Amino acid sequence: MAFLIGETMTGGYGPVDILHDCTVAVEKGEIAVIVGPNGAGKSTAMKAVFGMLKLRGGHVKLDGEDITTLSPQDRVAQGMAFVPQTHNIFTSMTVEENLEMGAFLRRDDIKTTMEQVYHLFPILRDKRRQAAGELSGGQRQQVAVGRALMTQPKVLMLDEPTAGVSPIVMDELFDRIIEVARTGISILMVEQNARQALNIADKGYVLVQGANRFTGTGAELLADPDVRKSFLGG
């Protein structure tokens, strides 16, 4: 059983189902990537795993425990962190204040974690007194990920972390994400840049219309001619 699994999830936001028997899972310290065309239900699948969507079928398990009925807040307390695509930082606060906000549930000393975040994202240390809203898109994403890491999550969920950033910044963000996974944190992410994301993925899920179309290691999916032709532009 995977460390985190959303198994045969069926559901949507109203009477219409967006997900159909969809399964996504990630092992401890690994990177799982959800890719697929626009409107395939990628973000919906991740939101379902985080409890932002009521399931009509299937269940979600974290470390063997069924968490299907838990609210997103309760899932955070269980060790899940979710970084949405937009509105994921407090723009008027400084970088450091953003990181402190990430740790608001904690009752212990947060200095060590703060150091780890600054070690991972050195630019944030340089800009820690600056308003987060003044940073570039790539730097803001680092703040958002850093803030999520302040909760000391077991699972980090990222919704299109490289949306709207340059290829150089994308590569750098992916390098950081690999480093986070190496610390033992499981990473589940939705990504538009499918080829690059599958390059760093231990596991990949290609969704089409809310259902699993292809599942495999990142390398297997990159090598699959059907996946390449349909989803990776040849």
Side-chain angles (χ1 to χ4, degrees), residues 119-171:
H119 179 71
L120 199 58
F121 302 120
I123 191 77
L124 299 189
R125 189 195 299 275
D126 302 342
K127 303 202 176 239
R128 64 185 183 276
R129 306 265 176 267
Q130 229 172 307
E134 294 168 12
L135 305 184
S136 71
Q139 291 165 356
R140 284 175 178 222
Q141 280 300 67
Q142 293 183 34
V143 174
V145 172
R147 200 180 89 196
L149 291 174
M150 291 298 293
T151 65
Q152 296 183 302
K154 299 174 190 152
V155 176
L156 178 62
M157 301 169 71
L158 307 168
D159 193 2
E160 301 203 14
T162 68
V165 303
S166 69
I168 293 171
V169 174
M170 175 179 69
D171 287 344

Side-chain angles (χ1 to χ4, degrees), residues 11-204:
Y13 298 104
V16 181
D17 289 332
I18 298 172
L19 301 177
H20 308 278
D21 266 352
C22 174
T23 294
V24 293
V26 59
E27 300 292 347
K28 192 128 189 67
E30 292 202 335
I31 298 172
V33 173
I34 306 172
V35 298
N38 277 332
K42 301 186 294 289
S43 294
T44 306
M46 190 152 70
K47 285 172 180 163
V49 171
F50 191 58
M52 294 164 77
L53 182 82
K54 214 165 168 56
L55 292 180
R56 290 197 313 114
H59 53 257
V60 182
K61 285 186 174 166
L62 176 63
D63 203 4
E65 192 182 332
D66 195 315
I67 58 168
T68 312
T69 58
L70 293 189
S71 68
Q73 289 84 344
D74 288 340
R75 292 183 202 212
V76 170
Q78 295 281 330
M80 294 172 81
F82 177 66
V83 180
Q85 192 185 335
T86 53
H87 308 305
N88 54 21
I89 57 168
F90 300 106
T91 49
S92 59
M93 291 185 177
T94 66
V95 168
E96 189 135 288
E97 285 167 343
N98 266 278
L99 296 179
E100 286 166 354
M101 285 296 287
F104 74 99
L105 283 177
R106 289 175 54 183
R107 297 283 169 266
D108 55 338
D109 188 9
I110 65 171
K111 279 199 200 63
T112 319
T113 319
M114 187 90 79
E115 253 327 292
Q116 288 165 344
V117 170
Y118 285 147
H119 179 71
L120 199 58
F121 302 120
I123 191 77
L124 299 189
R125 189 195 299 275
D126 302 342
K127 303 202 176 239
R128 64 185 183 276
R129 306 265 176 267
Q130 229 172 307
E134 294 168 12
L135 305 184
S136 71
Q139 291 165 356
R140 284 175 178 222
Q141 280 300 67
Q142 293 183 34
V143 174
V145 172
R147 200 180 89 196
L149 291 174
M150 291 298 293
T151 65
Q152 296 183 302
K154 299 174 190 152
V155 176
L156 178 62
M157 301 169 71
L158 307 168
D159 193 2
E160 301 203 14
T162 68
V165 303
S166 69
I168 293 171
V169 174
M170 175 179 69
D171 287 344
E172 194 188 329
L173 277 170
F174 280 166
D175 284 345
R176 298 288 90 81
I177 287 167
I178 291 168
E179 282 186 49
V180 172
R182 284 196 183 127
T183 67
I185 296 172
S186 306
I187 294 176
L188 180 64
M189 67 178 181
V190 168
E191 191 44 77
Q192 281 293 346
N193 296 299
R195 187 183 290 272
Q196 294 88 338
L198 289 172
N199 251 319
I200 69 162
D202 297 291
K203 195 72 174 280

